[in-house]
Amino acid sequence: MRELKTLLYEQVSRIGKAMASPKRLELIELLCQSEKTVEMLSQQADISVKLASAHLKELRLARLVDTRKEGKYVFYRLAEQGVADLWVNLRGLAEERLVDLQMGLSSMVTHGHDLRGVDRKSILKQARSGEVVVIDVRPGDEFAAGHLPYARSLPLTELKKRLAELPKNKPVVAYCRGPFCMMAKDAVALLQKRGYQAFKLDDGVAEWRARGLPIEQ
Amino acid sequence: MRELKTLLYEQVSRIGKAMASPKRLELIELLCQSEKTVEMLSQQADISVKLASAHLKELRLARLVDTRKEGKYVFYRLAEQGVADLWVNLRGLAEERLVDLQMGLSSMVTHGHDLRGVDRKSILKQARSGEVVVIDVRPGDEFAAGHLPYARSLPLTELKKRLAELPKNKPVVAYCRGPFCMMAKDAVALLQKRGYQAFKLDDGVAEWRARGLPIEQ
DNA sequence: TTAACAATCTAACGATTATTGGAATATAAT
DNA sequence: ATTATATTCCAATAATCGTTAGATTGTTAA
């Protein structure tokens, strides 16, 4: 009776443990974008390959991620959609804490012209009608793995040379991996300096999907 | 830049850490039912008062719970609804793992006549019309803090002496604290032995509310 | 075959965490 | 005041975790 209960809560806590490390959370967020190799993950999360491998092992043990081998590369991916939803849920709960802890977060939250309050469905509608241009500033492979409807891929790294593709008479909405990612922020800063009407959308695909909105491939 | 990111993920991981202990999860589940004192929590979770206090301190540090002092008692409660939702979310993810690990869970999942597949809204409708009787077998104070609509309080401890209150010609649906709680299971077993048409509803109030359904007080 | 590369495994360390027992606070009851 | 009760604080221990370095496995390219 008691033993059974202990067993049950232990199982759930294994998932909690897996989400109890900052590095692992960052890896999960990256995997919300697309499947990636250990090397890609280690680079994008700014950690050693060894450490990434160790953390990924933990995540696999907790069944939050799965792997696929292709040649000498091992691709990791989320085991199911629910993992991304849990990440969004967890981060949402933490965000309140972040603001009232007066964290450096303020430098991210106060991005001047953001779309925090704007209704997501109205953005979707305006994007469809062409009233606004939605750009996805993540690397191209992440865009290919899934992106917001009507979004155009324009990776941050190519933004400078491809500015001409964007209209100056329409609002441009940029998004990236989610609220903790700085790519959209940087893109908006650049665009605004060049005279574009640029806005940042805090959502990434995980947030978008967790709220039941559609994702395209 | 990197430091800021590190800081952000660290904050989220604090919540993960708080949910990384089986005991703390059990405490959270108990607090989903109603506010409780340290002593009540320690008894219901089968741990020492000291240990309960230490775990509750962790939860308070992570801002998942709040306290209220009344005389010599300290009442703990969830800091916000989102905490209960996160618990439901987390447990949901773990449940798949539990079944394919062939855990002792099977002894709980196979409760014979359960309502796992039955639509929640139809239960609600049938309860309103009186086609079924919904009983809440948790302790009375938890019922008072919030319960399913049209439910009647009939704590497991009093069930035997109050059997006469239940009809034999209608289905009786029992629920308790959630899928990990055994009270409804025991109630159903007793009722079925006495010839009632009894069924177990796996939801507790947290699960019910997390799915957007109404709760009464 | 050999060389280069991706990824994992092993061992080790310091840091953190869970748990317990004993002392200390605070409040209520006598 | 004194006693009893609820809770927390402090210290100590064993267990677990994060991280790094070195060796190892498996795969591709030469």
Side-chain angles (χ1 to χ4, degrees):
Chain A
M1 192 62 156
R2 175 48 32 194
E3 304 80 50
L4 175 57
K5 276 203 156 192
T6 306
L7 217 56
L8 290 170
Y9 290 105
E10 239 158 40
Q11 286 306 313
V12 184
S13 79
R14 287 181 59 181
I15 298 193
K17 280 197 226 302
M19 303 207 105
S21 145
K23 305 279 165 65
R24 283 198 290 271
L25 291 175
E26 190 164 0
L27 293 172
I28 287 173
E29 193 191 38
L30 287 168
L31 290 172
C32 286
Q33 315 304 320
S34 64
E35 64 168 15
K36 292 175 192 289
T37 67
V38 179
E39 202 181 19
M40 291 161 76
L41 287 165
S42 76
Q43 283 174 4
Q44 296 176 7
D46 265 333
I47 55 179
S48 74
V49 172
K50 279 177 207 181
L51 185 53
S53 178
H55 279 306
L56 289 165
K57 185 188 176 187
E58 287 297 311
L59 290 174
R60 206 182 35 197
L61 235 61
R63 315 272 206 119
L64 297 185
V65 305
D66 261 335
T67 58
R68 168 176 80 80
K69 196 158 186 183
E70 186 178 314
K72 57 182 171 179
Y73 298 93
V74 177
F75 282 87
Y76 280 81
R77 63 172 179 280
L78 296 188
E80 48 174 313
Q81 182 54 37
V83 179
D85 296 343
L86 186 60
W87 157 243
V88 172
N89 199 334
L90 196 66
R91 203 202 47 229
L93 205 57
E95 267 171 13
E96 304 174 19
R97 252 126 288 227
L98 285 169
V99 295
D100 71 45
L101 285 177
Q102 304 276 19
M103 306 284 308
L105 177 79
S106 51
S107 71
M108 297 191 61
V109 171
T110 61
H111 14 237
H113 302 79
D114 72 349
L115 294 176
R116 194 164 275 259
V118 178
D119 178 41
R120 292 181 176 86
K121 285 197 179 157
S122 76
I123 292 176
L124 188 56
K125 213 173 74 180
Q126 292 182 335
R128 179 170 47 227
S129 72
E131 289 172 69
V132 304
V133 175
V134 176
I135 61 171
D136 182 324
V137 299
R138 298 175 301 160
D141 56 329
E142 297 183 7
F143 176 86
H147 55 83
L148 267 57
Y150 314 108
R152 187 185 302 181
S153 177
L154 194 44
L156 183 58
T157 49
E158 302 177 21
L159 185 56
K160 244 178 209 159
K161 9 173 184 150
R162 291 174 56 186
L163 274 176
E165 298 177 22
L166 296 173
K168 282 211 170 178
N169 59 340
K170 279 186 202 174
V172 175
V173 172
Y175 76 89
C176 51
R177 289 171 180 153
F180 285 4
C181 176
M182 329 247 175
M183 294 193 287
K185 185 181 185 306
D186 294 348
V188 168
L190 173 64
L191 289 172
Q192 285 178 345
K193 211 171 62 180
R194 302 295 181 94
Y196 290 88
Q197 305 164 43
F199 302 88
K200 171 172 169 14
L201 174 62
D202 278 330
D203 286 345
V205 291
E207 290 74 21
W208 196 261
R209 180 148 38 189
R211 277 157 186 96
L213 294 165
I215 292 296
E216 278 180 2
Q217 277 172 315
Chain B
M1 192 66 157
R2 175 47 31 196
E3 303 81 50
L4 175 57
K5 275 203 156 191
T6 306
L7 216 58
L8 291 169
Y9 290 106
E10 239 157 39
Q11 285 306 313
V12 184
S13 79
R14 288 180 60 182
I15 298 192
K17 281 196 227 298
M19 304 205 105
S21 146
K23 306 279 166 65
R24 283 198 292 271
L25 291 175
E26 189 163 1
L27 293 172
I28 287 174
E29 192 190 39
L30 286 167
L31 290 173
C32 286
Q33 315 304 321
S34 65
E35 62 168 15
K36 292 175 190 290
T37 66
V38 179
E39 201 181 21
M40 291 161 77
L41 287 165
S42 77
Q43 282 174 5
Q44 296 175 9
D46 266 331
I47 55 179
S48 75
V49 173
K50 278 179 207 179
L51 186 53
S53 177
H55 279 306
L56 289 165
K57 185 187 174 187
E58 286 298 310
L59 290 174
R60 208 182 34 195
L61 235 60
R63 316 272 206 116
L64 296 185
V65 306
D66 261 335
T67 58
R68 168 177 80 80
K69 194 157 186 182
E70 187 178 315
K72 57 182 171 178
Y73 299 93
V74 177
F75 283 87
Y76 280 80
R77 63 171 179 281
L78 296 188
E80 47 174 312
Q81 182 54 39
V83 179
D85 296 343
L86 186 60
W87 157 245
V88 173
N89 198 333
L90 196 67
R91 202 202 47 229
L93 248 189
E95 267 171 13
E96 305 174 20
R97 252 125 288 226
L98 285 168
V99 295
D100 69 46
L101 285 176
Q102 304 273 24
M103 306 285 306
L105 176 79
S106 52
S107 71
M108 297 190 60
V109 171
T110 61
H111 14 237
H113 303 79
D114 72 348
L115 295 175
R116 195 164 273 260
V118 177
D119 178 40
R120 293 181 176 85
K121 285 196 178 157
S122 77
I123 292 177
L124 188 56
K125 213 173 75 179
Q126 291 181 336
R128 180 172 45 228
S129 72
E131 291 171 66
V132 306
V133 175
V134 176
I135 62 172
D136 181 325
V137 299
R138 298 174 301 161
D141 56 330
E142 297 182 7
F143 175 86
H147 54 84
L148 267 55
Y150 316 106
R152 185 184 303 180
S153 177
L154 194 43
L156 182 57
T157 49
E158 301 177 22
L159 186 54
K160 243 176 210 159
K161 7 175 187 151
R162 291 174 55 187
L163 275 176
E165 296 176 24
L166 295 174
K168 284 210 171 180
N169 58 342
K170 280 187 204 176
V172 175
V173 172
Y175 76 90
C176 52
R177 291 173 178 152
F180 285 5
C181 176
M182 329 242 175
M183 294 193 288
K185 185 180 185 306
D186 293 347
V188 168
L190 173 64
L191 289 173
Q192 286 178 347
K193 210 171 62 182
R194 301 295 180 93
Y196 290 87
Q197 305 163 43
F199 302 89
K200 172 171 169 10
L201 173 62
D202 278 330
D203 286 345
V205 291
E207 290 74 21
W208 195 260
R209 180 148 39 187
R211 279 157 185 96
L213 294 165
I215 292 296
E216 277 181 1
Q217 277 173 317

